[in-house]
Amino acid sequence: MKTLLTACILTFSFSLSGFSYNNLDSLLVELERTMSKRAVFDNAKKLRIENLEKLLKESDSTSLQNNYFLVSEIIKEYEKYSFDKALIFIEKGLNIANTLNDDNLKKESQLKLAKLLVTSGRYKEAIDVLHEIERHLLPKKLLDLYYYNYKEAYSGLSFYTTVSNSKQSYSKLYKVYQDSLQQQLAPNSNESLALIEKEFRDNREIEKALEINSKRLSKVALGTPNYSLITFERSLLYGLNSNTNEQKKFLILSAISDIKASVKDNASLTELAMILFDEGNIESAHDFIDFSVEDAEMYNSRLRFVNISNKFSVISKAYEEKNLEQQNELKKLLVFISILVLFLVLTIIYIYQQIKKLSAARKELKKANDQLLSLNEKLSFTNSDLNRLYSELSDIDRIKEQYIGTFLNLYSDYINKLDTYRKMVRKYIVSNKTKALLELTKSKQLIDNELNLFYENFDKSFLHIYPNFVNEVNNLLKEDQQIILKEEESLNTELRILALIRLGITNSAKISKILRYSVNTIYNYRVRVKNNAKQRNTFEDEVKKIT
């Protein structure tokens, strides 16, 4: 019952954040949207800091206790935002404590300094600071931070040292200070639960660790440093379990929270970049690792630079190789397009000749029809049939003329666009602006515009042939599952897939190439619309019969 309650609380807290946590694609879109708004969150952080610094400047210099409080608040803001700035204000706090001759405030400032050094990977320096503090003189409220700093320092030294004897020594000291901290903490505090979770994680008791993590996660909100840390630690658990999808999900949530909280000393986005790189998604991996490098530079953490540097070089190299490959493909494509343009010109000439022949044939047919009209009443039935035939042929001619005109205009536009693009590419290559050309080719705007134009022409042409297609399809669907188009839509994706099936294109792979969706997406659309049909097994056969 307790586990069920925890799961319910966690599910509820997830639902408040506003996007689907079961859909990795949606989460990645939300992450990219949040990344694009980094400046907004950073500006809010800067504004809070500026207000605190303004209060500090305006504060009465004789009110050192108040100044110390303001400096402490500024340190909290800078702690995960800028190492250099945090260090400056910790030293200011230490100076105020010395001026006040307050040993407790002095020790508190030293512990803050040690924590900053530990979190930035400066373990030896942190231990040197801690050695200056006499533990038996510390007040009880500072013992937590004292043991925590030692624990984290020896944990880091144990993890990064390559000397086996030193590693064993550091591990023992880590265990000692971990036990001391555990005894000092309140049983259900986040810090106590974090230690229990880590012990389960180290022992590979993943389910127990996940249960503890769920309790911690239910107490924090998205956009806070604690949420970022807890979701990151949850991703580590799923990584040990080889559950890559869940690992990516919580790395994304952690990264989103880091950005919203302006946490520059972060690791989630770097780990996510490496997973995406291993999966072959080099472009997203490069974007994420590049973003992480900017954060690391902003924070100035040696530890974070060390963690990122090797991964960054591997991803950057792969990204450059991919771009070079794309450039080569672009050159081949330009050659192919040039050949295609020549073929199109020849095709247009041939079609034009056929139009002239068709026009001459139509005139001859009209002449013959006029002669038949002069026959006597005995031939009226035959004459009526010929009139009907003529009417049908005229309609076909008009349709052909309309589609040929559309075809000519479309390919004429493509020729002009290709020629313009060719000149622009040549200009960039001649002027050795390959980087600018690379940036230009990154944009998908041109493809998106052409794809929208393709959809518009396809919809218009298809509905001209089958004007009642949408109504006929809805007649085949259940009443509560019929397709309702928006005002600006002629057809939507589901109807375009059915339109291609009506035209005889039933292979999902071919449909995916035409509409530029993945095969899985096409398959899912087809399955969904079949499930909504009155007769699921014969639905597509009935679509093929629509006139």
Side-chain angles (χ1 to χ4, degrees), residues 336-357:
F336 173 75
I337 289 173
S338 299
I339 296 171
L340 181 61
V341 168
L342 178 61
F343 173 75
L344 291 175
V345 170
L346 295 175
T347 303
I348 290 169
I349 293 172
Y350 173 76
I351 291 173
Y352 178 72
Q353 291 175 345
Q354 294 302 311
I355 290 173
K356 289 177 68 177
K357 291 180 181 179

mmCIF file with all atom_site columns, all heavy atoms in Angstrom, residues 336-357:
data_model
loop_
_atom_site.group_PDB
_atom_site.id
_atom_site.type_symbol
_atom_site.label_atom_id
_atom_site.label_alt_id
_atom_site.label_comp_id
_atom_site.label_asym_id
_atom_site.label_entity_id
_atom_site.label_seq_id
_atom_site.pdbx_PDB_ins_code
_atom_site.Cartn_x
_atom_site.Cartn_y
_atom_site.Cartn_z
_atom_site.occupancy
_atom_site.B_iso_or_equiv
_atom_site.pdbx_formal_charge
_atom_site.auth_seq_id
_atom_site.auth_comp_id
_atom_site.auth_asym_id
_atom_site.auth_atom_id
_atom_site.pdbx_PDB_model_num
ATOM 1   N N   . PHE A 1 336 ? 22.969 15.000 -60.235 1.00 0.00 ? 336 PHE A N   1
ATOM 2   C CA  . PHE A 1 336 ? 21.751 14.257 -60.557 1.00 0.00 ? 336 PHE A CA  1
ATOM 3   C C   . PHE A 1 336 ? 20.605 15.194 -60.929 1.00 0.00 ? 336 PHE A C   1
ATOM 4   O O   . PHE A 1 336 ? 19.850 14.939 -61.867 1.00 0.00 ? 336 PHE A O   1
ATOM 5   C CB  . PHE A 1 336 ? 21.350 13.396 -59.349 1.00 0.00 ? 336 PHE A CB  1
ATOM 6   C CG  . PHE A 1 336 ? 20.021 12.718 -59.499 1.00 0.00 ? 336 PHE A CG  1
ATOM 7   C CD1 . PHE A 1 336 ? 19.869 11.613 -60.315 1.00 0.00 ? 336 PHE A CD1 1
ATOM 8   C CD2 . PHE A 1 336 ? 18.902 13.213 -58.833 1.00 0.00 ? 336 PHE A CD2 1
ATOM 9   C CE1 . PHE A 1 336 ? 18.630 10.996 -60.461 1.00 0.00 ? 336 PHE A CE1 1
ATOM 10  C CE2 . PHE A 1 336 ? 17.669 12.603 -58.966 1.00 0.00 ? 336 PHE A CE2 1
ATOM 11  C CZ  . PHE A 1 336 ? 17.540 11.489 -59.788 1.00 0.00 ? 336 PHE A CZ  1
ATOM 12  N N   . ILE A 1 337 ? 20.492 16.300 -60.186 1.00 0.00 ? 337 ILE A N   1
ATOM 13  C CA  . ILE A 1 337 ? 19.423 17.266 -60.461 1.00 0.00 ? 337 ILE A CA  1
ATOM 14  C C   . ILE A 1 337 ? 19.596 17.892 -61.837 1.00 0.00 ? 337 ILE A C   1
ATOM 15  O O   . ILE A 1 337 ? 18.630 18.115 -62.568 1.00 0.00 ? 337 ILE A O   1
ATOM 16  C CB  . ILE A 1 337 ? 19.398 18.346 -59.351 1.00 0.00 ? 337 ILE A CB  1
ATOM 17  C CG1 . ILE A 1 337 ? 18.872 17.752 -58.045 1.00 0.00 ? 337 ILE A CG1 1
ATOM 18  C CG2 . ILE A 1 337 ? 18.526 19.529 -59.748 1.00 0.00 ? 337 ILE A CG2 1
ATOM 19  C CD1 . ILE A 1 337 ? 18.969 18.675 -56.855 1.00 0.00 ? 337 ILE A CD1 1
ATOM 20  N N   . SER A 1 338 ? 20.854 18.151 -62.195 1.00 0.00 ? 338 SER A N   1
ATOM 21  C CA  . SER A 1 338 ? 21.119 18.728 -63.522 1.00 0.00 ? 338 SER A CA  1
ATOM 22  C C   . SER A 1 338 ? 20.650 17.778 -64.621 1.00 0.00 ? 338 SER A C   1
ATOM 23  O O   . SER A 1 338 ? 20.028 18.197 -65.608 1.00 0.00 ? 338 SER A O   1
ATOM 24  C CB  . SER A 1 338 ? 22.615 19.007 -63.674 1.00 0.00 ? 338 SER A CB  1
ATOM 25  O OG  . SER A 1 338 ? 23.049 19.936 -62.701 1.00 0.00 ? 338 SER A OG  1
ATOM 26  N N   . ILE A 1 339 ? 20.956 16.489 -64.426 1.00 0.00 ? 339 ILE A N   1
ATOM 27  C CA  . ILE A 1 339 ? 20.498 15.485 -65.403 1.00 0.00 ? 339 ILE A CA  1
ATOM 28  C C   . ILE A 1 339 ? 18.978 15.427 -65.409 1.00 0.00 ? 339 ILE A C   1
ATOM 29  O O   . ILE A 1 339 ? 18.340 15.335 -66.466 1.00 0.00 ? 339 ILE A O   1
ATOM 30  C CB  . ILE A 1 339 ? 21.099 14.105 -65.062 1.00 0.00 ? 339 ILE A CB  1
ATOM 31  C CG1 . ILE A 1 339 ? 22.634 14.149 -65.194 1.00 0.00 ? 339 ILE A CG1 1
ATOM 32  C CG2 . ILE A 1 339 ? 20.521 13.025 -65.962 1.00 0.00 ? 339 ILE A CG2 1
ATOM 33  C CD1 . ILE A 1 339 ? 23.329 12.913 -64.673 1.00 0.00 ? 339 ILE A CD1 1
ATOM 34  N N   . LEU A 1 340 ? 18.392 15.499 -64.207 1.00 0.00 ? 340 LEU A N   1
ATOM 35  C CA  . LEU A 1 340 ? 16.933 15.440 -64.098 1.00 0.00 ? 340 LEU A CA  1
ATOM 36  C C   . LEU A 1 340 ? 16.282 16.637 -64.784 1.00 0.00 ? 340 LEU A C   1
ATOM 37  O O   . LEU A 1 340 ? 15.250 16.494 -65.450 1.00 0.00 ? 340 LEU A O   1
ATOM 38  C CB  . LEU A 1 340 ? 16.530 15.406 -62.618 1.00 0.00 ? 340 LEU A CB  1
ATOM 39  C CG  . LEU A 1 340 ? 15.028 15.325 -62.319 1.00 0.00 ? 340 LEU A CG  1
ATOM 40  C CD1 . LEU A 1 340 ? 14.441 14.052 -62.905 1.00 0.00 ? 340 LEU A CD1 1
ATOM 41  C CD2 . LEU A 1 340 ? 14.778 15.383 -60.822 1.00 0.00 ? 340 LEU A CD2 1
ATOM 42  N N   . VAL A 1 341 ? 16.893 17.806 -64.651 1.00 0.00 ? 341 VAL A N   1
ATOM 43  C CA  . VAL A 1 341 ? 16.362 19.008 -65.303 1.00 0.00 ? 341 VAL A CA  1
ATOM 44  C C   . VAL A 1 341 ? 16.343 18.829 -66.818 1.00 0.00 ? 341 VAL A C   1
ATOM 45  O O   . VAL A 1 341 ? 15.365 19.176 -67.490 1.00 0.00 ? 341 VAL A O   1
ATOM 46  C CB  . VAL A 1 341 ? 17.196 20.251 -64.910 1.00 0.00 ? 341 VAL A CB  1
ATOM 47  C CG1 . VAL A 1 341 ? 16.841 21.434 -65.798 1.00 0.00 ? 341 VAL A CG1 1
ATOM 48  C CG2 . VAL A 1 341 ? 16.955 20.596 -63.453 1.00 0.00 ? 341 VAL A CG2 1
ATOM 49  N N   . LEU A 1 342 ? 17.435 18.261 -67.354 1.00 0.00 ? 342 LEU A N   1
ATOM 50  C CA  . LEU A 1 342 ? 17.490 18.018 -68.794 1.00 0.00 ? 342 LEU A CA  1
ATOM 51  C C   . LEU A 1 342 ? 16.386 17.056 -69.212 1.00 0.00 ? 342 LEU A C   1
ATOM 52  O O   . LEU A 1 342 ? 15.693 17.269 -70.224 1.00 0.00 ? 342 LEU A O   1
ATOM 53  C CB  . LEU A 1 342 ? 18.871 17.446 -69.157 1.00 0.00 ? 342 LEU A CB  1
ATOM 54  C CG  . LEU A 1 342 ? 19.080 17.090 -70.635 1.00 0.00 ? 342 LEU A CG  1
ATOM 55  C CD1 . LEU A 1 342 ? 18.931 18.333 -71.518 1.00 0.00 ? 342 LEU A CD1 1
ATOM 56  C CD2 . LEU A 1 342 ? 20.450 16.452 -70.849 1.00 0.00 ? 342 LEU A CD2 1
ATOM 57  N N   . PHE A 1 343 ? 16.206 16.011 -68.408 1.00 0.00 ? 343 PHE A N   1
ATOM 58  C CA  . PHE A 1 343 ? 15.149 15.037 -68.705 1.00 0.00 ? 343 PHE A CA  1
ATOM 59  C C   . PHE A 1 343 ? 13.769 15.695 -68.651 1.00 0.00 ? 343 PHE A C   1
ATOM 60  O O   . PHE A 1 343 ? 12.902 15.423 -69.483 1.00 0.00 ? 343 PHE A O   1
ATOM 61  C CB  . PHE A 1 343 ? 15.238 13.894 -67.691 1.00 0.00 ? 343 PHE A CB  1
ATOM 62  C CG  . PHE A 1 343 ? 14.100 12.908 -67.793 1.00 0.00 ? 343 PHE A CG  1
ATOM 63  C CD1 . PHE A 1 343 ? 14.037 11.980 -68.821 1.00 0.00 ? 343 PHE A CD1 1
ATOM 64  C CD2 . PHE A 1 343 ? 13.068 12.937 -66.858 1.00 0.00 ? 343 PHE A CD2 1
ATOM 65  C CE1 . PHE A 1 343 ? 12.978 11.088 -68.906 1.00 0.00 ? 343 PHE A CE1 1
ATOM 66  C CE2 . PHE A 1 343 ? 12.008 12.062 -66.938 1.00 0.00 ? 343 PHE A CE2 1
ATOM 67  C CZ  . PHE A 1 343 ? 11.973 11.116 -67.975 1.00 0.00 ? 343 PHE A CZ  1
ATOM 68  N N   . LEU A 1 344 ? 13.581 16.586 -67.660 1.00 0.00 ? 344 LEU A N   1
ATOM 69  C CA  . LEU A 1 344 ? 12.298 17.270 -67.534 1.00 0.00 ? 344 LEU A CA  1
ATOM 70  C C   . LEU A 1 344 ? 12.017 18.170 -68.734 1.00 0.00 ? 344 LEU A C   1
ATOM 71  O O   . LEU A 1 344 ? 10.882 18.266 -69.198 1.00 0.00 ? 344 LEU A O   1
ATOM 72  C CB  . LEU A 1 344 ? 12.268 18.091 -66.251 1.00 0.00 ? 344 LEU A CB  1
ATOM 73  C CG  . LEU A 1 344 ? 12.224 17.298 -64.930 1.00 0.00 ? 344 LEU A CG  1
ATOM 74  C CD1 . LEU A 1 344 ? 12.315 18.238 -63.748 1.00 0.00 ? 344 LEU A CD1 1
ATOM 75  C CD2 . LEU A 1 344 ? 10.959 16.463 -64.850 1.00 0.00 ? 344 LEU A CD2 1
ATOM 76  N N   . VAL A 1 345 ? 13.063 18.837 -69.209 1.00 0.00 ? 345 VAL A N   1
ATOM 77  C CA  . VAL A 1 345 ? 12.886 19.701 -70.386 1.00 0.00 ? 345 VAL A CA  1
ATOM 78  C C   . VAL A 1 345 ? 12.434 18.884 -71.579 1.00 0.00 ? 345 VAL A C   1
ATOM 79  O O   . VAL A 1 345 ? 11.500 19.265 -72.320 1.00 0.00 ? 345 VAL A O   1
ATOM 80  C CB  . VAL A 1 345 ? 14.201 20.452 -70.687 1.00 0.00 ? 345 VAL A CB  1
ATOM 81  C CG1 . VAL A 1 345 ? 14.104 21.165 -72.034 1.00 0.00 ? 345 VAL A CG1 1
ATOM 82  C CG2 . VAL A 1 345 ? 14.505 21.455 -69.584 1.00 0.00 ? 345 VAL A CG2 1
ATOM 83  N N   . LEU A 1 346 ? 13.087 17.730 -71.790 1.00 0.00 ? 346 LEU A N   1
ATOM 84  C CA  . LEU A 1 346 ? 12.711 16.848 -72.899 1.00 0.00 ? 346 LEU A CA  1
ATOM 85  C C   . LEU A 1 346 ? 11.282 16.333 -72.704 1.00 0.00 ? 346 LEU A C   1
ATOM 86  O O   . LEU A 1 346 ? 10.510 16.227 -73.679 1.00 0.00 ? 346 LEU A O   1
ATOM 87  C CB  . LEU A 1 346 ? 13.689 15.678 -72.990 1.00 0.00 ? 346 LEU A CB  1
ATOM 88  C CG  . LEU A 1 346 ? 15.141 16.050 -73.341 1.00 0.00 ? 346 LEU A CG  1
ATOM 89  C CD1 . LEU A 1 346 ? 16.030 14.812 -73.277 1.00 0.00 ? 346 LEU A CD1 1
ATOM 90  C CD2 . LEU A 1 346 ? 15.213 16.681 -74.734 1.00 0.00 ? 346 LEU A CD2 1
ATOM 91  N N   . THR A 1 347 ? 10.938 16.012 -71.453 1.00 0.00 ? 347 THR A N   1
ATOM 92  C CA  . THR A 1 347 ? 9.579  15.518 -71.164 1.00 0.00 ? 347 THR A CA  1
ATOM 93  C C   . THR A 1 347 ? 8.544  16.589 -71.448 1.00 0.00 ? 347 THR A C   1
ATOM 94  O O   . THR A 1 347 ? 7.471  16.308 -72.013 1.00 0.00 ? 347 THR A O   1
ATOM 95  C CB  . THR A 1 347 ? 9.486  15.081 -69.684 1.00 0.00 ? 347 THR A CB  1
ATOM 96  O OG1 . THR A 1 347 ? 10.475 14.082 -69.420 1.00 0.00 ? 347 THR A OG1 1
ATOM 97  C CG2 . THR A 1 347 ? 8.117  14.518 -69.376 1.00 0.00 ? 347 THR A CG2 1
ATOM 98  N N   . ILE A 1 348 ? 8.854  17.832 -71.077 1.00 0.00 ? 348 ILE A N   1
ATOM 99  C CA  . ILE A 1 348 ? 7.920  18.940 -71.310 1.00 0.00 ? 348 ILE A CA  1
ATOM 100 C C   . ILE A 1 348 ? 7.695  19.143 -72.805 1.00 0.00 ? 348 ILE A C   1
ATOM 101 O O   . ILE A 1 348 ? 6.561  19.368 -73.262 1.00 0.00 ? 348 ILE A O   1
ATOM 102 C CB  . ILE A 1 348 ? 8.456  20.223 -70.640 1.00 0.00 ? 348 ILE A CB  1
ATOM 103 C CG1 . ILE A 1 348 ? 8.366  20.096 -69.116 1.00 0.00 ? 348 ILE A CG1 1
ATOM 104 C CG2 . ILE A 1 348 ? 7.675  21.454 -71.100 1.00 0.00 ? 348 ILE A CG2 1
ATOM 105 C CD1 . ILE A 1 348 ? 9.090  21.185 -68.367 1.00 0.00 ? 348 ILE A CD1 1
ATOM 106 N N   . ILE A 1 349 ? 8.778  19.056 -73.578 1.00 0.00 ? 349 ILE A N   1
ATOM 107 C CA  . ILE A 1 349 ? 8.655  19.203 -75.045 1.00 0.00 ? 349 ILE A CA  1
ATOM 108 C C   . ILE A 1 349 ? 7.754  18.103 -75.604 1.00 0.00 ? 349 ILE A C   1
ATOM 109 O O   . ILE A 1 349 ? 6.874  18.364 -76.440 1.00 0.00 ? 349 ILE A O   1
ATOM 110 C CB  . ILE A 1 349 ? 10.052 19.155 -75.696 1.00 0.00 ? 349 ILE A CB  1
ATOM 111 C CG1 . ILE A 1 349 ? 10.859 20.394 -75.278 1.00 0.00 ? 349 ILE A CG1 1
ATOM 112 C CG2 . ILE A 1 349 ? 9.933  19.081 -77.217 1.00 0.00 ? 349 ILE A CG2 1
ATOM 113 C CD1 . ILE A 1 349 ? 12.302 20.351 -75.717 1.00 0.00 ? 349 ILE A CD1 1
ATOM 114 N N   . TYR A 1 350 ? 7.976  16.875 -75.105 1.00 0.00 ? 350 TYR A N   1
ATOM 115 C CA  . TYR A 1 350 ? 7.174  15.751 -75.594 1.00 0.00 ? 350 TYR A CA  1
ATOM 116 C C   . TYR A 1 350 ? 5.695  15.938 -75.218 1.00 0.00 ? 350 TYR A C   1
ATOM 117 O O   . TYR A 1 350 ? 4.797  15.717 -76.035 1.00 0.00 ? 350 TYR A O   1
ATOM 118 C CB  . TYR A 1 350 ? 7.705  14.453 -74.981 1.00 0.00 ? 350 TYR A CB  1
ATOM 119 C CG  . TYR A 1 350 ? 6.845  13.246 -75.280 1.00 0.00 ? 350 TYR A CG  1
ATOM 120 C CD1 . TYR A 1 350 ? 6.869  12.633 -76.530 1.00 0.00 ? 350 TYR A CD1 1
ATOM 121 C CD2 . TYR A 1 350 ? 5.986  12.730 -74.297 1.00 0.00 ? 350 TYR A CD2 1
ATOM 122 C CE1 . TYR A 1 350 ? 6.066  11.537 -76.798 1.00 0.00 ? 350 TYR A CE1 1
ATOM 123 C CE2 . TYR A 1 350 ? 5.191  11.639 -74.555 1.00 0.00 ? 350 TYR A CE2 1
ATOM 124 C CZ  . TYR A 1 350 ? 5.231  11.049 -75.818 1.00 0.00 ? 350 TYR A CZ  1
ATOM 125 O OH  . TYR A 1 350 ? 4.433  9.974  -76.080 1.00 0.00 ? 350 TYR A OH  1
ATOM 126 N N   . ILE A 1 351 ? 5.454  16.376 -73.988 1.00 0.00 ? 351 ILE A N   1
ATOM 127 C CA  . ILE A 1 351 ? 4.068  16.594 -73.535 1.00 0.00 ? 351 ILE A CA  1
ATOM 128 C C   . ILE A 1 351 ? 3.404  17.694 -74.357 1.00 0.00 ? 351 ILE A C   1
ATOM 129 O O   . ILE A 1 351 ? 2.224  17.590 -74.724 1.00 0.00 ? 351 ILE A O   1
ATOM 130 C CB  . ILE A 1 351 ? 4.045  16.934 -72.032 1.00 0.00 ? 351 ILE A CB  1
ATOM 131 C CG1 . ILE A 1 351 ? 4.454  15.706 -71.210 1.00 0.00 ? 351 ILE A CG1 1
ATOM 132 C CG2 . ILE A 1 351 ? 2.679  17.425 -71.592 1.00 0.00 ? 351 ILE A CG2 1
ATOM 133 C CD1 . ILE A 1 351 ? 4.621  15.984 -69.736 1.00 0.00 ? 351 ILE A CD1 1
ATOM 134 N N   . TYR A 1 352 ? 4.160  18.721 -74.664 1.00 0.00 ? 352 TYR A N   1
ATOM 135 C CA  . TYR A 1 352 ? 3.599  19.820 -75.454 1.00 0.00 ? 352 TYR A CA  1
ATOM 136 C C   . TYR A 1 352 ? 3.179  19.334 -76.841 1.00 0.00 ? 352 TYR A C   1
ATOM 137 O O   . TYR A 1 352 ? 2.112  19.708 -77.356 1.00 0.00 ? 352 TYR A O   1
ATOM 138 C CB  . TYR A 1 352 ? 4.635  20.941 -75.564 1.00 0.00 ? 352 TYR A CB  1
ATOM 139 C CG  . TYR A 1 352 ? 4.166  22.116 -76.397 1.00 0.00 ? 352 TYR A CG  1
ATOM 140 C CD1 . TYR A 1 352 ? 3.193  22.985 -75.908 1.00 0.00 ? 352 TYR A CD1 1
ATOM 141 C CD2 . TYR A 1 352 ? 4.673  22.335 -77.674 1.00 0.00 ? 352 TYR A CD2 1
ATOM 142 C CE1 . TYR A 1 352 ? 2.739  24.048 -76.667 1.00 0.00 ? 352 TYR A CE1 1
ATOM 143 C CE2 . TYR A 1 352 ? 4.228  23.394 -78.447 1.00 0.00 ? 352 TYR A CE2 1
ATOM 144 C CZ  . TYR A 1 352 ? 3.269  24.252 -77.931 1.00 0.00 ? 352 TYR A CZ  1
ATOM 145 O OH  . TYR A 1 352 ? 2.822  25.305 -78.701 1.00 0.00 ? 352 TYR A OH  1
ATOM 146 N N   . GLN A 1 353 ? 4.012  18.483 -77.416 1.00 0.00 ? 353 GLN A N   1
ATOM 147 C CA  . GLN A 1 353 ? 3.662  17.921 -78.737 1.00 0.00 ? 353 GLN A CA  1
ATOM 148 C C   . GLN A 1 353 ? 2.396  17.071 -78.636 1.00 0.00 ? 353 GLN A C   1
ATOM 149 O O   . GLN A 1 353 ? 1.540  17.105 -79.543 1.00 0.00 ? 353 GLN A O   1
ATOM 150 C CB  . GLN A 1 353 ? 4.828  17.091 -79.261 1.00 0.00 ? 353 GLN A CB  1
ATOM 151 C CG  . GLN A 1 353 ? 6.052  17.918 -79.644 1.00 0.00 ? 353 GLN A CG  1
ATOM 152 C CD  . GLN A 1 353 ? 7.234  17.057 -80.037 1.00 0.00 ? 353 GLN A CD  1
ATOM 153 O OE1 . GLN A 1 353 ? 7.257  15.852 -79.780 1.00 0.00 ? 353 GLN A OE1 1
ATOM 154 N NE2 . GLN A 1 353 ? 8.231  17.678 -80.676 1.00 0.00 ? 353 GLN A NE2 1
ATOM 155 N N   . GLN A 1 354 ? 2.300  16.304 -77.534 1.00 0.00 ? 354 GLN A N   1
ATOM 156 C CA  . GLN A 1 354 ? 1.110  15.477 -77.356 1.00 0.00 ? 354 GLN A CA  1
ATOM 157 C C   . GLN A 1 354 ? -0.146 16.333 -77.168 1.00 0.00 ? 354 GLN A C   1
ATOM 158 O O   . GLN A 1 354 ? -1.234 15.980 -77.642 1.00 0.00 ? 354 GLN A O   1
ATOM 159 C CB  . GLN A 1 354 ? 1.294  14.553 -76.147 1.00 0.00 ? 354 GLN A CB  1
ATOM 160 C CG  . GLN A 1 354 ? 2.381  13.505 -76.321 1.00 0.00 ? 354 GLN A CG  1
ATOM 161 C CD  . GLN A 1 354 ? 2.125  12.610 -77.517 1.00 0.00 ? 354 GLN A CD  1
ATOM 162 O OE1 . GLN A 1 354 ? 1.035  12.078 -77.692 1.00 0.00 ? 354 GLN A OE1 1
ATOM 163 N NE2 . GLN A 1 354 ? 3.133  12.463 -78.371 1.00 0.00 ? 354 GLN A NE2 1
ATOM 164 N N   . ILE A 1 355 ? 0.029  17.485 -76.517 1.00 0.00 ? 355 ILE A N   1
ATOM 165 C CA  . ILE A 1 355 ? -1.103 18.402 -76.328 1.00 0.00 ? 355 ILE A CA  1
ATOM 166 C C   . ILE A 1 355 ? -1.608 18.913 -77.675 1.00 0.00 ? 355 ILE A C   1
ATOM 167 O O   . ILE A 1 355 ? -2.818 18.996 -77.921 1.00 0.00 ? 355 ILE A O   1
ATOM 168 C CB  . ILE A 1 355 ? -0.688 19.573 -75.421 1.00 0.00 ? 355 ILE A CB  1
ATOM 169 C CG1 . ILE A 1 355 ? -0.490 19.076 -73.982 1.00 0.00 ? 355 ILE A CG1 1
ATOM 170 C CG2 . ILE A 1 355 ? -1.747 20.669 -75.427 1.00 0.00 ? 355 ILE A CG2 1
ATOM 171 C CD1 . ILE A 1 355 ? 0.078  20.126 -73.051 1.00 0.00 ? 355 ILE A CD1 1
ATOM 172 N N   . LYS A 1 356 ? -0.660 19.251 -78.540 1.00 0.00 ? 356 LYS A N   1
ATOM 173 C CA  . LYS A 1 356 ? -1.041 19.746 -79.874 1.00 0.00 ? 356 LYS A CA  1
ATOM 174 C C   . LYS A 1 356 ? -1.803 18.665 -80.646 1.00 0.00 ? 356 LYS A C   1
ATOM 175 O O   . LYS A 1 356 ? -2.824 18.947 -81.291 1.00 0.00 ? 356 LYS A O   1
ATOM 176 C CB  . LYS A 1 356 ? 0.209  20.168 -80.653 1.00 0.00 ? 356 LYS A CB  1
ATOM 177 C CG  . LYS A 1 356 ? 0.848  21.457 -80.107 1.00 0.00 ? 356 LYS A CG  1
ATOM 178 C CD  . LYS A 1 356 ? 2.122  21.820 -80.835 1.00 0.00 ? 356 LYS A CD  1
ATOM 179 C CE  . LYS A 1 356 ? 1.808  22.226 -82.272 1.00 0.00 ? 356 LYS A CE  1
ATOM 180 N NZ  . LYS A 1 356 ? 3.033  22.648 -82.982 1.00 0.00 ? 356 LYS A NZ  1
ATOM 181 N N   . LYS A 1 357 ? -1.308 17.444 -80.562 1.00 0.00 ? 357 LYS A N   1
ATOM 182 C CA  . LYS A 1 357 ? -1.996 16.338 -81.248 1.00 0.00 ? 357 LYS A CA  1
ATOM 183 C C   . LYS A 1 357 ? -3.381 16.125 -80.649 1.00 0.00 ? 357 LYS A C   1
ATOM 184 O O   . LYS A 1 357 ? -4.350 15.877 -81.373 1.00 0.00 ? 357 LYS A O   1
ATOM 185 C CB  . LYS A 1 357 ? -1.168 15.062 -81.134 1.00 0.00 ? 357 LYS A CB  1
ATOM 186 C CG  . LYS A 1 357 ? 0.129  15.093 -81.931 1.00 0.00 ? 357 LYS A CG  1
ATOM 187 C CD  . LYS A 1 357 ? 0.891  13.784 -81.756 1.00 0.00 ? 357 LYS A CD  1
ATOM 188 C CE  . LYS A 1 357 ? 2.212  13.809 -82.531 1.00 0.00 ? 357 LYS A CE  1
ATOM 189 N NZ  . LYS A 1 357 ? 2.973  12.562 -82.367 1.00 0.00 ? 357 LYS A NZ  1
#
